[in-house]
């Protein structure tokens, strides 16, 4: 019988415990930059990170920011969502994203939004077919 639990991560040690899973999505980050970015995002942007544990192992991680814009109103922006590559298609991503949906409702947010890289067709199928998301826009960026 699997024992699942979702926990918000607060401490540096908890964040580091999630790094091996997060690194699978954010391959460009090393531990130092990862911790610096999380710390600054928590302080300045209200970033929150939750992990889904199967027994004592982290199998999925999600990071999000509560936001308010004129376009979306009061909403949650999913910044990061990754399931350990050895544990995909076991329902962990769905469970963690559903948890954030419930968190949003309980905290009076009107919607949840995210972006996903153009190459991530499996993720797009998951968001649209499994989780009921609508594809509503493109995201554009410029690097400096």
């Amino acid at each position: 019988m699997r024992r699942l639990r979702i926990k918000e991560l607060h401490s540096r040690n908890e964040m580091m415990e999630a790094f091996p899973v997060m690194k699978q999505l954010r391959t460009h980050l090393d531990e130092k930059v990862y911790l610096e970015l999380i710390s600054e995002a928590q302080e300045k942007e209200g970033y929150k990170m939750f992990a889904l544990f199967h027994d004592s192992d982290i199998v999925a991680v999600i990071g999000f920011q509560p936001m308010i814009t004129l376009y979306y109103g009061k909403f949650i922006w999913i910044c990061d969502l990754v399931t350990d590559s050895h544990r995909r298609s076991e329902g962990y991503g769905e469970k963690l994203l559903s948890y954030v949906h419930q968190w949003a409702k309980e905290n009076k947010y009107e919607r949840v939004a995210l972006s996903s890289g153009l190459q991530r067709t499996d993720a797009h199928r998951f968001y649209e077919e499994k989780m009921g998301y609508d594809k509503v826009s493109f995201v554009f960026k410029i690097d400096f």
Side-chain angles (χ1 to χ4, degrees):
M1 170 183 243
R2 46 182 205 181
R3 295 185 346 221
L4 300 177
R5 67 184 168 92
I6 295 172
K7 177 183 177 192
E8 185 171 4
L9 307 180
H10 295 283
S11 73
R12 183 179 197 280
N13 287 344
E14 290 172 333
M15 298 299 177
M16 283 311 302
E17 188 178 356
F19 181 72
V21 175
M22 185 64 79
K23 176 82 174 163
Q24 294 173 34
L25 178 66
R26 305 293 178 218
T27 57
H28 62 286
L29 296 178
D30 62 28
E31 293 177 357
K32 181 179 184 287
V33 172
Y34 166 77
L35 288 173
E36 288 171 355
L37 289 172
I38 289 174
S39 178
E40 188 170 357
Q42 286 175 324
E43 179 185 322
K44 294 181 179 177
E45 307 292 340
Y47 180 85
K48 298 182 176 303
M49 184 182 284
F50 287 79
L52 174 61
F53 290 81
H54 178 162
D55 294 324
S56 61
D57 298 324
I58 293 179
V59 294
V61 179
I62 195 166
F64 65 89
Q65 291 176 249
M67 297 178 72
I68 300 171
T69 66
L70 297 178
Y71 179 68
Y72 282 131
K74 192 174 175 183
F75 72 104
I76 299 299
W77 180 257
I78 304 294
C79 304
D80 314 288
L81 173 59
V82 59
T83 298
D84 185 283
S85 61
H86 300 99
R87 307 304 296 264
R88 295 206 176 122
S89 299
E90 296 182 35
Y92 296 126
E94 179 181 2
K95 187 165 191 63
L96 199 49
L97 191 53
S98 294
Y99 179 88
V100 172
H101 292 173
Q102 188 59 41
W103 188 97
K105 290 174 190 173
E106 289 171 3
N107 288 278
K108 310 280 192 269
Y109 288 86
E110 300 163 346
R111 61 195 42 88
V112 174
L114 56 88
S115 69
S116 181
L118 294 172
Q119 77 285 3
R120 299 189 68 227
T121 54
D122 289 341
H124 304 164
R125 189 171 37 257
F126 167 74
Y127 294 128
E128 291 178 292
E129 296 175 11
K130 188 97 171 174
M131 300 304 298
Y133 279 66
D134 294 321
K135 192 182 303 180
V136 296
S137 69
F138 288 98
V139 175
F140 297 91
K141 73 172 187 129
I142 187 169
D143 293 332
F144 296 108

